[in-house]
Amino acid sequence: MTTIDPIDLRKAFGRFMTGVTVVTARAEDGAPVGFTANSFSSVSLDPPMLLVCPGRFLSSHGVFETCRHFAVSVLAEGQEDVSNTFAGFKGDRFARVAYRDDCHGVPVIRGAVAQFSCRTAQVILAGDHSILIGEVARMSDNGGRGLGYAEGRYFSRGLEQVAVTGPGTVRIAGAIVECDGDVILEQTPDGLRPPQVEVPGRVGLREALVAKLAGRGLTVCPDRVYSIFDDGRTGADYAYFLAGGALDHGAGAFRRFRADQLVVQTYTSAAIATMMARYARETRHRRFGLYLGDERSGEVHDFQHQGS
Ligand SMILES: Cc1cc2nc3c(=O)[nH]c(=O)nc-3n(C[C@H](O)[C@H](O)[C@H](O)COP(=O)(O)O)c2cc1C
């Protein structure tokens, strides 16, 4: 009998392209639990059934093994942060994402392309995972592109080109979002940054920014460009807009700051810190320049001379 190396096996399994879901339930005391899963599969149309495989190593496995109801949210392109939160974050995962309770009181992720609310039909122990089979009681198909996953990295139909070519072609669009006099920033493990998204090659920056941030609970209305620079270290091109916006209740990774608090924060990079310091300065007189350069050096152009 040949023994199969688990690392090789994992790699070979990873060749199978999947979508990404977040599977959720409530513990007996009502606490929400959830994990990222790509083991989702449709099972039956009549009756409507699906399955997903929670690992027996999950801290929430006991809940999924015994829950009467669970839900599956199929993540949208741009929800990589949600996936990472439910795959790795050890604190309150639900404080970081926008969600609502479904017909069973189980949280489902806002902005997902589809949501399935299930009654548990069967749980089968299978090696180091369980197979959780659910009968779909309610579903919503919200349209849009789903997030993909293969060979240990995310992809999507729109971002395919970026995933294949790697650094050098990545375009990031972001916004300094003003909301009732505050500025909305995103908390990441590496510090704060303006809300931002990756934008595929042929898609417009503003369009992608609006659509993807809406999927994460932040409505933005981009106005003028504020800063454009490329980062030699990451190979990415960045474009930041000034924007008005509104935050959905519960869009957890986003936080509000007053303009006078901006300079003392810790940001994800020196380039972002410099940009935010300039914004804090310029917002006093509401006279904003346009920065063009790279992550270290460039020029601020006065908008009056830009004709914009
Ligand atoms: C794309 C992706 C797919 C995953 N799919 C599964 C899965 O199908 N089953 C599973 O048990 N864990 C899966 N995981 C890992 C779990 O999400 C992760 O181990 C879990 O969130 C840990 O939760 P815990 O800290 O509560 O134990 C996946 C992770 C990623 C990034």
Side-chain angles (χ1 to χ4, degrees):
M1 190 183 84
T2 50
T3 53
I4 291 182
D5 181 322
I7 295 175
D8 294 343
L9 180 63
R10 194 157 181 253
K11 205 168 149 203
F13 278 159
R15 302 264 179 223
F16 184 59
M17 288 191 250
T18 67
V20 183
T21 69
V22 168
V23 185
T24 45
R26 282 198 187 269
E28 265 180 23
D29 64 1
V33 294
F35 69 102
T36 298
N38 65 344
S39 54
F40 168 85
S41 177
S42 55
V43 173
S44 161
L45 286 178
D46 189 15
M49 295 177 102
L50 57 75
L51 70 78
V52 67
C53 301
R56 295 172 72 175
F57 50 81
L58 294 181
S59 64
S60 54
H61 183 263
V63 176
F64 286 104
E65 207 182 4
T66 53
C67 64
R68 290 183 52 223
H69 300 110
F70 68 96
V72 178
S73 302
V74 180
L75 297 188
E77 177 183 317
Q79 288 193 306
E80 291 89 339
D81 289 354
V82 177
S83 172
N84 290 338
T85 293
F86 280 89
F89 183 63
K90 297 298 174 199
D92 180 359
R93 295 176 173 181
F94 291 88
R96 297 184 146 209
V97 300
Y99 68 91
R100 66 172 173 83
D101 281 353
D102 72 1
C103 56
H104 301 128
V106 173
V108 288
I109 306 298
R110 284 192 191 274
V113 291
Q115 295 145 338
F116 301 97
S117 300
C118 302
R119 183 187 62 75
T120 303
Q122 211 180 338
V123 183
I124 303 165
L125 291 183
D128 52 17
H129 281 62
S130 294
I131 304 170
L132 176 60
I133 302 176
E135 185 162 345
V136 181
R138 289 260 181 93
M139 55 153 274
S140 64
D141 177 352
N142 310 316
R145 286 188 179 140
L147 178 62
Y149 193 75
E151 296 172 23
R153 61 188 298 177
Y154 300 110
F155 72 93
S156 66
R157 279 169 291 164
L159 290 171
E160 231 159 65
Q161 206 51 41
V162 172
V164 176
T165 51
T169 56
V170 179
R171 294 193 304 157
I172 308 284
I176 299 178
V177 184
E178 297 180 342
C179 176
D180 301 327
D182 291 337
V183 172
I184 295 172
L185 296 174
E186 184 177 2
Q187 183 72 60
T188 78
D190 299 322
L192 292 165
R193 69 180 184 202
Q196 64 181 48
V197 302
E198 262 187 42
V199 184
R202 284 168 296 281
V203 177
L205 296 174
R206 280 190 171 82
E207 181 195 341
L209 189 63
V210 170
K212 290 187 174 189
L213 290 180
R216 293 167 52 201
L218 179 60
T219 306
V220 295
C221 189
D223 186 11
R224 49 179 55 171
V225 181
Y226 189 59
S227 185
I228 295 186
F229 59 92
D230 51 271
D231 189 332
R233 291 165 307 134
T234 59
D237 295 333
Y238 293 85
Y240 288 96
F241 297 84
L242 295 179
L247 197 55
D248 273 10
H249 175 71
F254 300 114
R255 292 171 52 196
R256 289 160 169 269
F257 293 86
R258 292 192 318 269
D260 62 1
Q261 296 174 309
L262 293 175
V263 275
V264 295
Q265 306 303 324
T266 303
Y267 292 100
T268 49
S269 70
I272 299 286
T274 306
M275 179 174 75
M276 295 312 298
R278 175 166 72 91
Y279 172 85
R281 226 173 29 245
E282 292 180 339
T283 195
R284 284 189 226 129
H285 304 293
R286 306 299 292 168
R287 187 184 169 97
F288 298 109
L290 166 67
Y291 175 88
L292 297 172
D294 60 28
E295 85 275 18
R296 280 183 309 251
S297 60
E299 274 183 63
V300 177
H301 301 261
D302 193 323
F303 267 110
Q304 312 313 313
H305 304 299
Q306 296 291 311
S308 52

